[in-house]
Amino acid sequence: MAILPLTSPSYPNHNTGPSAPVSVSNRIPLIFRRLHRFQQMDFEVALWQLSYLCLAPKRVYRNVYYHKQTKNTWARDDPAILILLFGCLFVAAMAWSFVYSYSFLAAVKLAFVMILRDFLLVGVISATLLRLFANRVLLSPSSHSSSTDTSVEWAYAFDVHTNAFFPLYLTLYIAQLFLLPIISKDKWVCLLVGNTLYLAGFAQYIYGVYLGLSALPFLIRAEILLSPLLPLFASYVVSLLGFNIANHVLQVYFAS
């Protein structure tokens, strides 16, 4: 079974037959194939989505029904939100590089690490695992008879990662930067602030993943996706005994 989806059948000249030839480019989600088409991107909508991912994330997923009806795909095909996230990560990399007195080349390298590893690589792994898990565990029994229209697309699973990543970005890439003078101190109150920050960041990501998949009408038992919150909170409680998560993560992340 292919990991990446084929182009949506709503597009012209798309052969959906079982023996249809599949080119390498058609295995790449449409959102990535359109990254160079800046003139076709709707940055206003992308900014609206990023804003509501923090204020009212459920409103963002109401649009997937409209997109399914008009484009015959649950996933977004406009890469504007990716460009904005790339820009946000680049700005964060420059800010962190200034704090750690990095050279310009080191700052650019950090930006590529944040974009390619933290966002894209983690997103590819997360989307692949989410798609496999959702299609094998969360599909309602009546959905198996029409898997073409009622299965989680890889591109949609990557959308879910993208949407869930932005609140985490604001918490761990931006808020942590401003709180660095506090969380870096060797005091229990500072440890509490830093560890709570990481709890909030990853809890937001888990909740965002849950919202994204629970929005699909053919999935059931989506509450299972909230189960990682239990070990996350348990680890947080244990860490309050003296393990400063922020200090350890930053030492590994910015190790020279």
Side-chain angles (χ1 to χ4, degrees):
M1 180 174 64
I3 295 298
L4 301 185
L6 306 181
T7 306
S8 171
S10 63
Y11 289 89
N13 301 325
H14 178 76
N15 190 346
T16 57
S19 60
V22 180
S23 65
V24 175
S25 62
N26 282 343
R27 290 184 177 271
I28 302 175
L30 193 59
I31 192 173
F32 293 124
R33 284 185 274 140
R34 292 184 171 181
L35 276 173
H36 63 286
R37 302 181 182 179
F38 290 96
Q39 69 280 4
Q40 299 179 7
M41 298 182 190
D42 194 337
F43 288 99
E44 183 177 352
V45 171
L47 284 171
W48 176 88
Q49 290 178 340
L50 289 179
S51 300
Y52 274 91
L53 283 173
C54 303
L55 302 175
K58 290 184 179 181
R59 290 192 60 179
V60 177
Y61 287 108
R62 291 175 187 172
N63 292 336
V64 301
Y65 297 99
Y66 172 78
H67 202 273
K68 176 63 176 176
Q69 293 173 353
T70 57
K71 302 292 183 66
N72 197 29
T73 176
W74 295 101
R76 60 166 63 97
D77 56 0
D78 185 356
I81 195 170
L82 295 185
I83 300 299
L84 291 178
L85 279 174
F86 294 165
C88 289
L89 287 169
F90 183 84
V91 171
M94 295 300 108
W96 281 99
S97 298
F98 178 79
V99 171
Y100 280 89
S101 301
Y102 278 12
S103 66
F104 177 74
L105 290 179
V108 172
K109 179 181 178 181
L110 178 62
F112 276 103
V113 168
M114 287 183 174
I115 293 172
L116 298 179
R117 184 190 67 186
D118 297 2
F119 177 63
L120 289 177
L121 179 60
V122 172
V124 168
I125 296 173
S126 176
T128 301
L129 295 177
L130 285 175
R131 177 177 183 262
L132 291 175
F133 180 80
N135 287 336
R136 293 185 179 183
V137 178
L138 303 182
L139 278 183
S140 62
S142 59
S143 299
H144 292 283
S145 59
S146 55
S147 58
T148 302
D149 294 327
T150 53
S151 62
V152 179
E153 310 162 358
W154 188 92
Y156 181 79
F158 188 85
D159 275 355
V160 171
H161 159 75
T162 300
N163 295 340
F165 181 84
F166 186 65
L168 181 145
Y169 160 81
L170 293 178
T171 302
L172 298 185
Y173 289 77
I174 303 301
Q176 182 177 206
L177 177 63
F178 287 100
L179 293 174
L180 190 59
I182 297 176
I183 63 179
S184 58
K185 293 182 179 180
D186 189 19
K187 295 182 179 179
W188 188 85
V189 174
C190 300
L191 178 149
L192 174 66
V193 173
N195 291 8
T196 302
L197 200 66
Y198 276 80
L199 172 68
F202 286 103
Q204 287 173 312
Y205 185 87
I206 293 171
Y207 181 66
V209 169
Y210 160 73
L211 285 181
L213 292 183
S214 63
L216 298 179
F218 50 85
L219 295 184
I220 59 174
R221 302 187 301 272
E223 295 78 13
I224 297 176
L225 297 167
L226 295 174
S227 58
L229 289 175
L230 294 177
L232 176 67
F233 185 75
S235 301
Y236 165 75
V237 173
V238 173
S239 72
L240 296 180
L241 298 177
F243 184 80
N244 192 317
I245 299 175
N247 277 347
H248 284 80
V249 171
L250 293 178
Q251 287 175 9
V252 172
Y253 202 97
F254 295 100
S256 55

